[in-house]
């Protein structure tokens, strides 16, 4: 299945998705309850730090420099209340986060730091080894840092949705079937055809054709929920879904 064809079926609870998202919680709670806002913000940052790391690396920083800069950025972002001046119409968390990073990097160029960045603080746990391994797999092309960020953000959203779906699937036979069917989900890497899978499991191709759309539908719902966590309105959520599909289709 191509990246441009995810099943994004709506559910009866769709209208409520944008009432309690992480990003709207942050915007609403930043003044009344700083702890709640910081916890929600830290949750988003923990999920989406790698696109920022990839952005910094593509701009020419070494792995160690990129790790240090990423940690220092989050230290200031989380510990120094960067949300103080954010307005309710802040829009998509993706755009806001990248704008903050660019501003941070511009300021960093103007200051020399003898002390290790962040003073040893690590507000968001980064797996530097994993980060560099992932970055080394980025295509050796002419993508701009912004394009790398967008690409990795899109995959981070897909990965989160896939993780949620995997957690919903019970163990045993159902988990085994899921692992085989996930290749038919958006950006799946499955190399087995429907007929081959049916023969392997001793079922009809029709049975595979029934199970696959159900899985895609649930994946689509979870993908929308992931997107909803990073926008401040339903309209922005629809726009973000279209943008995500566009980024993946151009991969």
């Amino acid at each position: 299945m191509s990246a441009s064809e995810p099943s994004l079926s709506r559910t009866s609870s769709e209208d409520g998705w944008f009432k309690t998202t992480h990003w709207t919680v942050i915007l609403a709670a930043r003044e009344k309850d700083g702890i709640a806002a910081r916890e929600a913000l830290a949750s988003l940052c923990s999920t989406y730090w790698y696109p920022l790391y990839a952005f910094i690396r593509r701009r020419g920083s070494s792995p160690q420099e990129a790790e240090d800069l990423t940690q220092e950025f989050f230290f200031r972002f989380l510990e120094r209340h960067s949300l103080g001046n954010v307005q309710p119409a802040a829009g998509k968390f993706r755009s806001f986060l990248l704008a903050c990073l660019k501003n941070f990097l511009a300021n960093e160029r103007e200051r020399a730091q003898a002390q290790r960045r962040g003073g040893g603080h690590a507000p968001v746990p980064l797996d530097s080894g994993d980060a560099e391994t992932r970055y080394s797999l980025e295509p050796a092309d002419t993508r701009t840092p912004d394009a790398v960020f967008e690409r990795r953000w899109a995959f981070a959203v897909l990965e989160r949705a896939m993780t949620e779906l995997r957690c919903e699937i019970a163990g045993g036979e159902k988990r085994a079937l899921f692992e085989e069917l996930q290749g038919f989900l958006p950006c799946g890497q499955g190399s087995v055809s429907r007929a081959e899978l049916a023969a392997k499991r001793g079922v009809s191709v029709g049975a595979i054709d029934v199970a696959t759309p159900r899985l895609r539908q649930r994946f689509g719902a979870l993908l929308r929920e992931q997107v909803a966590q990073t926008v401040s309105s339903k309209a922005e959520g629809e726009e973000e879904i279209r943008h995500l599909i566009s980024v993946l289709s151009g991969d």
Side-chain angles (χ1 to χ4, degrees), residues 166-182:
R166 184 175 288 108
C167 289
E168 287 186 358
I169 304 298
E173 189 67 14
K174 288 185 178 180
R175 174 59 66 87
L177 178 60
F178 166 74
E179 297 298 339
E180 294 173 329
L181 287 177
Q182 66 177 324

Side-chain angles (χ1 to χ4, degrees), residues 93-134:
F93 183 71
R94 167 178 56 84
S95 301
F96 174 75
L97 196 62
L98 183 58
C100 288
L101 177 66
K102 289 180 176 179
N103 184 62
F104 162 77
L105 293 176
N107 291 335
E108 279 295 289
R109 286 196 298 266
E110 301 174 358
R111 67 175 71 187
Q113 294 188 343
Q115 183 181 7
R116 178 177 174 81
R117 293 181 173 89
H121 296 283
V124 174
L126 308 184
D127 186 337
S128 57
D130 177 63
E132 194 52 32
T133 298
R134 293 167 67 180

Side-chain angles (χ1 to χ4, degrees), residues 18-31 33 35-41 44 83 228-229 231-232:
F18 295 91
K19 295 178 181 179
T20 58
T21 69
H22 283 177
W23 186 221
T24 53
V25 166
I26 293 168
L27 292 175
R30 67 189 189 279
E31 294 179 357
D33 185 355
I35 294 177
R38 282 195 58 226
E39 288 179 349
L41 182 59
L44 283 179
L83 293 173
Q229 292 180 9
V231 296
S232 54

